[in-house]
Structure formats: structure tokens, C-alpha cells
Amino acid sequence: MAAYDLEEQDQLDDLKAWWTRWGGTISTGLLIGALVIAGVQGWRWYAGNRAQEAAALYTALSEAGRKNDNARAREAVTSLEEKFASTGYAPRAALLYARILYDAGDRAGAKLQLQWALDHADEDELKAIARYRLAQAQVDERAFDQALATLDAKHPAAFDGLYADLRGDALAAADRTAEARAAYETAVAKLDPKSQYLQFVRVKLDALGGPGPQAAGGSARAPAAAAAPGSAPASANAPAPVNPPAPAGAATPAPTNPPATAAPAAPSGAKK
């Protein structure tokens, strides 16, 4: 029994010596692990809470836009841009508020919001929409060189047809007919052959005169009755995704079905 006690005492001494050497390191590691877990859980709670607040503000902005309540819309978008700029809601809110301002006749304010969205969006599709609408506003103001420079920026290939069409609008309005025709021909080549928007572009191309691109099975020119030059197309070929992923680095999800990204349509009152 004494021998057993001595052996047990030796094991306890070895354990004490081992703990004396490594106990501090192990305790520090456990503490760091606990802090990391707590930090992750805390960040998830914080990000989720921010997402809910941002979503509520975005909804308030949408409702204010439908009710033409510009004061409430301004309050909502200001809060989103100042407090939730890193979320997917903020650039979408800027796009939506830009439409509200443009419809109200505040073109300068609309362009500022479009530039804000362009500067803060992480998604290429949102940047492309903001840039497209900014170029539309510049064309409407007859700032053709600025519009062409805006359209020169890199954008997703899905927007090639829309960008080429708007480039044609700017060039045609600047009386650069040959270049406008080339831009419209590019748009015709890039747009979905089945889209109604393509017929709209063909009418503009036909109005310039001169040879047009040939489509398979016949002329690419549409009859004059295909679309009224002043009417907006029913749909575009390159709408932004309905459910885009959350911006890189942001823990909050992008809003579901955001109305501001349905399609890069022209601002109300914009002239083609």
C-alpha cells in the first residue's frame, strides 16, 4: 500500500510539474478560444440587428417614395447612408432615392445619389446600373461628353447592349450621326434578339438612315410601327439579379427583391 502511495505521489508530482510548465499556455489558449467564440457570436448578433434596422429604413424609403413623401424619404436614405453604408441596402436606397429626386425635378441631387451608389456599391451590377442612370441624366442635360466618358467605364458584359444604345443616344443628340449609327448597330448585336427593347433600338437606328445591320433571315430594321421612338421599352436585356449576394466583407444580406435593382430603366422625364 505504501508502494502504491509513493507511485501515486510520483504521478501527482509529474502532473504538477507539467502544469507548472504548460498550464499558463493552456489557460491562455482556452481564454483566447472563448473570446473568439464570443466575438463571432457577438458579431453575428450585431450584423443581424443592423440588417433588420437597414431593412426597416429601406422599407420606409420605398413607402415614402410611393406616397411622394420626400421629407420622410430623405430622412430614411440619410440614415441608411450614414449608419449602414456597408450593407447591401444603402446603395440600393441611393438608387431609389435618386429616382425620387429626379422625378421631383432635383437633377443635381439625383446625380449626387447616383454617384454615392457608384462609390459605395460592392456589386458590379449595382455599379453598372448607377453608372447607366448617371449617364442618362447627363444626356438629358446635354452633357454629352460627360455621358460618353461615364459609359466608357468597365461594366459587366450583360450591360453591353444597354450601354451601346445609350451611347448612340448621346452621339445622335450631339449630331455625330455616323458614330451614333455604329453605336446602335453594336446595341442591336448585343441585345437579346427576342427582347422588345431590341425593336426600340432598331427604330432609332432606322431613323438615322443609312445601311443597318442584317439579322438572320432578313433586314434588321424594324417597321416604323414596331415602337414609338418616345416610348420606353417594356423590358431590358440586362437587369440586375433579383437576389444579389451580400456585398463582399459585409455580414448582412442584401435585400430580397429590391425595387431599385429591377432594371436600369431611364429616370422619369429622361429623354432618349
Side-chain angles (χ1 to χ4, degrees), residues 12 37 69 89 92-93 102 113 148 158 170 190 195 199 222 242 254:
L12 290 174
I37 293 174
D69 188 346
Y89 294 90
R92 288 170 170 82
Y102 203 96
Q113 288 298 316
L148 293 172
K190 295 290 185 178
S195 72
Q199 303 302 321
V242 173

Side-chain angles (χ1 to χ4, degrees), residues 146-244:
Q146 292 181 25
L148 293 172
T150 300
L151 293 170
D152 280 339
K154 184 179 179 181
H155 55 268
F159 288 82
D160 283 350
L162 290 174
Y163 271 53
D165 171 51
L166 187 54
R167 175 177 291 277
D169 291 347
L171 292 167
D175 295 326
R176 295 161 62 176
T177 304
E179 295 174 84
R181 184 182 299 112
Y184 286 140
E185 289 173 353
T186 298
V188 168
K190 295 290 185 178
L191 289 168
D192 183 352
K194 298 180 181 180
S195 72
Q196 298 179 17
Y197 192 86
L198 177 61
Q199 303 302 321
F200 178 68
V201 177
R202 283 175 171 169
V203 168
K204 293 190 287 185
L205 176 59
D206 187 68
L208 291 179
Q214 294 295 317
S219 171
R221 297 186 190 176
S231 62
S235 62
N237 180 45
V242 173
N243 291 308

Side-chain angles (χ1 to χ4, degrees), residues 30-265:
L30 292 174
L31 177 61
I32 292 174
L35 290 175
V36 168
I37 293 174
V40 170
Q41 295 297 328
W43 171 253
R44 288 179 178 174
W45 175 86
Y46 173 75
N49 188 57
R50 281 174 58 82
Q52 292 179 359
E53 292 183 46
L57 287 170
Y58 188 88
T59 300
L61 172 61
S62 300
E63 292 176 353
R66 287 193 295 270
K67 297 177 180 178
N68 294 320
D69 188 346
N70 289 355
R72 186 183 176 196
R74 181 173 60 254
E75 180 180 350
V77 78
T78 299
S79 294
L80 273 166
E81 292 177 353
E82 291 181 352
K83 301 177 182 178
F84 305 98
S86 63
T87 69
Y89 294 90
R92 288 170 170 82
L95 289 174
L96 180 56
Y97 189 51
R99 172 64 62 85
I100 294 172
L101 291 176
Y102 203 96
D103 290 346
D106 186 358
R107 296 181 180 180
K111 290 196 297 181
L112 287 176
Q113 288 298 316
L114 292 171
Q115 188 62 54
W116 193 97
L118 186 57
D119 293 340
H120 290 80
D122 290 326
E123 300 161 60
D124 289 340
E125 290 80 4
L126 286 181
K127 288 180 178 289
I129 293 171
R131 187 174 289 112
Y132 179 88
R133 292 181 179 174
L134 180 59
Q136 284 180 314
Q138 291 166 340
V139 170
D140 196 45
E141 293 178 340
R142 302 189 65 81
F144 303 127
D145 290 339
Q146 292 181 25
L148 293 172
T150 300
L151 293 170
D152 280 339
K154 184 179 179 181
H155 55 268
F159 288 82
D160 283 350
L162 290 174
Y163 271 53
D165 171 51
L166 187 54
R167 175 177 291 277
D169 291 347
L171 292 167
D175 295 326
R176 295 161 62 176
T177 304
E179 295 174 84
R181 184 182 299 112
Y184 286 140
E185 289 173 353
T186 298
V188 168
K190 295 290 185 178
L191 289 168
D192 183 352
K194 298 180 181 180
S195 72
Q196 298 179 17
Y197 192 86
L198 177 61
Q199 303 302 321
F200 178 68
V201 177
R202 283 175 171 169
V203 168
K204 293 190 287 185
L205 176 59
D206 187 68
L208 291 179
Q214 294 295 317
S219 171
R221 297 186 190 176
S231 62
S235 62
N237 180 45
V242 173
N243 291 308
T252 56
T256 303
N257 299 324
T261 58

Side-chain angles (χ1 to χ4, degrees), residues 15-33:
L15 180 60
K16 289 178 180 179
W18 180 87
W19 182 256
T20 300
R21 182 175 181 181
W22 301 107
T25 302
I26 293 174
S27 297
T28 301
L30 292 174
L31 177 61
I32 292 174

